[in-house]
Amino acid sequence: MHNKKFNSLANSYLIYVGVAIASGGVALYTPLIVSETGKNFSGFWAASILFGLNLGRVIGSFAGSRFSRAVNHPLMVCGNIFLEGIALYCMAFLQQAWALALFAVLAGFGSGLSFPGLKNYLLKLRDLDQSSLFSRLAFAIRMGLVSGYLLASWVPHESLRLVFLIVLITFIAYGIFMLIAMRAISKHEKEYLTMHTATVQQEIQAGELKTNSINKNIAAANHRAHELPILFYLSNAMFWCFAIQPMIGFSLHIPKFTPDIPVSTPFWISALVIIFFQIPISKRAIRIRDHFRFLQIGYACLFLSFLLMFVFTRSSSAVITSAILLSFGQVFYGPSLDVLTARFADKTSADTGKLMSKQMLYQSMGNMVGSLTGGILFDLSQHFNSPRLNWLLLAIASVIMVILSKSKIPRLYRQAGNIQSST
């Protein structure tokens, strides 16, 4: 049913604007708190902030996958957004490194619970293309990050309370935009389901459907395991484990081996590449096999990026080109993975919120492990006096995932849902 009073596009943009505002807040505080913690305590405690954020997301995503109906209620999604903002604001008043890490876990917990709910509500906008939904979401996130970096250039960093007050305001705005959109989407969804149920009942009464046959098909479908293969989730974790390497690897590599460029260069380049190319590239994937091809291209971009760093370790141009390749990896990989998860849920009548929470769980695990791995690999390469070693190991691991994503992962995906490659 199409409700003329309901505008799917307008509500999707309410969500995008809210996400962009909150992403700006994230870009404002993250470099600052990591830098300040490293300066006042140590690199380990600085890394613990990022680790704590992703640990919280893992815990939140796991809880969301177990209690998806409860956490996807509009008030719960909004409450978890406010939880993240308040936890971040409290960090301005903390003096101990362990307390910062603890509140980072709490902020990550709110994020891990709310973000899958956001995707779930986007997917309820059935008259909008799924590929466009997720590519625009990625675009909004990057636009917010760039805005946050620009804002950080004139906000006085010496006043942590002012910085985190701005962050809190961005999350309050995010929560309000989300609540308005979710209430409208929920009302429209209720009307849609009412009309859909009435239509099915009319078809049954007219003899166009055989109830027994339908029940048997539903029972058979429910009997099958409507779970994505574990390798699909692990490949997602591995991708983000690699994709987060610029946050750590480049930040450590540039001052030591390519000091002629600013440390922030890879971050600006990554954001701008995704902003310009995310939507036009994502629109080119239509069928399931197209999206799996995009996953493979995403991994291939990571491999080429790490290979380039291995060959031209001390070249500033190689660092910039490598950052561009890493950005294209995310352009190809991110939205296609979301679409594949959503289409699996559609085909198997699985709980979309639960699948999105589980996807977020593994993505957060990848970010969590990757943030520590980047530092460990860099230290390992310094220990052996080989600045190429960490890039070599990353290149080898990523080429293995290129091979697996070519046939193994798509085959397991289709077997799990009996989905034809031409869909």
Side-chain angles (χ1 to χ4, degrees):
M1 183 184 87
H2 179 71
N3 186 348
K4 293 182 179 180
K5 295 181 180 180
F6 179 80
N7 190 322
S8 294
L9 192 60
N11 281 282
S12 70
Y13 274 94
L14 274 175
I15 295 175
Y16 297 144
V17 171
V19 169
I21 292 172
S23 297
V26 170
L28 176 62
Y29 88 83
T30 304
L32 173 62
I33 196 65
V34 170
S35 174
E36 288 295 314
T37 305
K39 182 172 64 177
N40 296 329
F41 297 95
S42 68
F44 168 80
W45 284 112
S48 72
I49 302 295
L50 294 178
F51 181 86
L53 281 168
N54 286 293
L55 176 61
R57 288 171 184 151
V58 168
I59 298 171
S61 300
F62 177 76
S65 68
R66 298 296 298 271
F67 309 103
S68 59
R69 295 196 176 206
V71 299
N72 285 332
H73 189 279
L75 292 178
M76 284 293 291
V77 174
C78 188
N80 286 316
I81 290 172
F82 291 153
L83 170 63
E84 182 178 3
I86 293 170
L88 292 174
Y89 179 62
C90 289
M91 293 173 74
F93 301 88
L94 303 176
Q95 303 298 324
Q96 298 298 322
W98 63 266
L100 290 170
L102 181 63
F103 272 78
V105 173
L106 187 60
F109 180 74
S111 175
L113 284 173
S114 64
F115 204 70
L118 176 152
K119 291 182 178 180
N120 187 40
Y121 277 93
L122 278 177
L123 288 170
K124 293 180 186 293
L125 303 173
R126 292 180 172 84
D127 52 337
L128 300 182
D129 178 66
Q130 290 177 342
S131 299
S132 296
L133 283 172
F134 291 121
S135 61
R136 286 173 182 154
L137 177 61
F139 177 85
I141 292 171
R142 297 299 164 176
M143 281 294 293
L145 291 175
V146 170
S147 301
Y149 289 135
L150 291 173
L151 182 64
S153 64
W154 62 270
V155 172
H157 288 181
E158 62 273 8
S159 177
L160 280 178
R161 294 188 181 183
L162 174 60
V163 169
F164 281 98
L165 177 60
I166 296 173
V167 173
L168 175 61
I169 292 171
T170 64
F171 275 88
I172 291 174
Y174 172 32
I176 292 172
F177 278 114
M178 277 295 300
L179 184 60
I180 295 171
M182 287 186 296
R183 293 188 67 175
I185 294 171
S186 295
K187 182 179 179 181
H188 176 69
E189 177 78 357
K190 185 177 180 180
E191 294 174 354
Y192 170 84
L193 293 175
T194 301
M195 177 61 74
H196 181 70
T197 301
T199 302
V200 171
Q201 289 175 346
Q202 290 174 2
E203 291 176 346
I204 292 174
Q205 292 172 357
E208 295 177 6
L209 294 175
K210 296 181 180 179
T211 308
N212 291 336
S213 176
I214 293 173
N215 290 336
K216 287 180 181 179
N217 290 335
I218 293 174
N222 289 335
H223 180 70
R224 293 194 302 268
H226 289 161
E227 277 290 338
L228 283 162
I230 188 66
L231 189 59
F232 183 85
Y233 289 117
L234 289 175
S235 69
N236 182 30
M238 288 296 292
F239 180 87
W240 294 107
C241 177
F242 297 148
I244 201 176
Q245 293 308 311
M247 182 73 73
I248 304 298
F250 282 170
S251 297
L252 297 172
H253 180 92
I254 290 173
K256 191 172 182 64
F257 299 109
T258 58
D260 51 316
I261 59 173
V263 176
S264 61
T265 300
F267 305 102
W268 281 98
I269 289 175
S270 297
L272 291 175
V273 167
I274 293 174
I275 284 172
F276 285 116
F277 292 98
Q278 183 72 81
I279 293 177
I281 288 180
S282 297
K283 285 182 177 179
R284 295 183 176 274
I286 300 173
R287 299 165 299 181
I288 282 179
R289 64 184 176 193
D290 294 333
H291 288 291
F292 271 113
R293 187 178 295 116
F294 272 26
L295 297 193
Q296 189 179 18
I297 293 173
Y299 267 117
C301 288
L302 299 191
F303 166 68
L304 292 174
S305 173
F306 298 141
L307 182 64
L308 190 65
M309 288 300 298
F310 169 71
V311 177
F312 303 103
T313 306
R314 298 179 183 273
S315 169
S316 299
S317 298
V319 170
I320 293 173
T321 307
S322 178
I324 293 173
L325 286 168
L326 283 170
S327 302
F328 273 109
Q330 294 181 52
V331 166
F332 281 99
Y333 189 92
S336 283
L337 186 85
D338 287 332
V339 171
L340 286 169
T341 303
R343 290 191 180 177
F344 182 88
D346 290 342
K347 290 289 183 180
T348 61
S349 299
D351 187 331
T352 305
K354 181 178 181 180
L355 290 183
M356 287 296 179
S357 291
K358 198 167 184 179
Q359 177 186 317
M360 179 78 174
L361 168 67
Y362 280 86
Q363 179 175 328
S364 299
M365 287 173 61
N367 284 324
M368 182 176 67
V369 173
S371 60
L372 290 181
T373 302
I376 293 172
L377 289 179
F378 184 82
D379 289 342
L380 185 66
S381 65
Q382 297 307 297
H383 176 74
F384 288 103
N385 196 27
S386 175
R388 303 170 186 263
L389 180 60
N390 54 332
W391 303 113
L392 174 63
L393 294 175
L394 289 169
I396 293 172
S398 57
V399 79
I400 292 173
M401 295 308 301
V402 171
I403 296 170
L404 288 175
S405 61
K406 181 178 182 180
S407 57
K408 179 73 172 179
I409 296 173
R411 184 172 68 252
L412 292 174
Y413 175 90
R414 295 187 181 100
Q415 288 175 352
N418 290 329
I419 302 174
Q420 298 299 318
S421 62
S422 61
T423 302

